[in-house]
Amino acid sequence: AVKAGVSRRALSGRAKRGDVEQVRYGIYRLRQFPTHPFEDVAAACLWAGPSSAASHETALAVHGISDAMPPVVHMTVARPFRGHQPGVIIHIAPLPDDQREVRDGIPVTTVGRTLQDVATSSEPTLVRQAVIEAINRGVLSRRQLRKIVRDTPELAPIVVDALTEEA
């Protein structure tokens, strides 16, 4: 708000009047506008900074490719990060621009990167469901599938099963 020209005092006054609502520390939302289905994820992205992206199970939910309902927001940042917020798990890992996108206003890892992330950290049934859904919806090309299998061999049997079921 300060960057937009709203003083801390004015922001405090607006919050007391009910014009704005604090979503997270330092992050406010105008009450007159509807909430976003992934408002908590958007707030976490703003808090973590411009080089962050929703990732892991949170990215599955944003992409809508599984029944994932993570109890916390998973974020990946490419740089050392020492911040801590309740309900947010920070993963520090390289995050090239070609593995990030914006979906419904939320910075999120691509479907391919998301599948690679969850392959080693999530329940196998959830990973399988996400791979099948991504293939059935056509969000991954054959080239992308080959790259995912090459980079994350753990996904190979799941991808093969999903493609076999599809045929």
Side-chain angles (χ1 to χ4, degrees):
V2 174
K3 289 180 184 176
V6 179
S7 70
R8 293 183 198 283
R9 183 175 176 173
L11 185 60
S12 176
R14 289 184 181 275
K16 285 179 185 170
R17 282 196 310 273
D19 297 338
V20 296
E21 172 184 20
Q22 185 174 13
V23 178
R24 281 196 181 274
Y25 177 79
I27 300 172
Y28 294 82
R29 178 182 76 75
L30 295 171
R31 280 188 176 265
Q32 68 187 26
F33 293 96
T35 61
H36 188 284
F38 294 107
E39 183 175 284
D40 58 334
V41 179
C45 289
L46 288 169
W47 167 73
S51 66
S52 67
S55 62
H56 296 75
E57 288 90 351
T58 302
L60 290 177
V62 172
H63 285 295
I65 56 169
S66 77
D67 292 336
M69 296 279 293
V72 296
V73 175
H74 290 266
M75 304 289 306
T76 294
V77 295
R79 57 180 166 57
F81 191 86
R82 292 191 308 240
H84 175 75
Q85 289 241 336
V88 179
I89 294 176
I90 297 291
H91 303 271
I92 299 171
L95 190 56
D97 287 341
D98 67 343
Q99 293 180 0
R100 294 177 81 236
E101 61 187 32
V102 176
R103 183 175 179 96
D104 296 328
I106 307 291
V108 62
T109 53
T110 60
V111 171
R113 168 62 185 266
T114 299
L115 293 175
Q116 290 174 314
D117 287 341
V118 298
T120 57
S121 65
S122 298
E123 287 290 320
T125 54
L126 182 67
V127 176
R128 187 178 193 297
Q129 179 191 40
V131 168
I132 290 169
E133 186 68 21
I135 290 171
N136 289 343
R137 288 180 46 205
V139 296
L140 293 171
S141 68
R142 290 194 181 276
R143 190 179 102 241
Q144 289 170 314
L145 284 169
R146 279 192 298 273
K147 181 179 181 341
I148 289 169
V149 168
R150 185 178 59 246
D151 294 347
T152 313
E154 302 92 341
L155 285 173
I158 297 169
V159 170
V160 169
D161 285 349
L163 290 172
T164 305
E165 283 181 14
E166 180 186 45

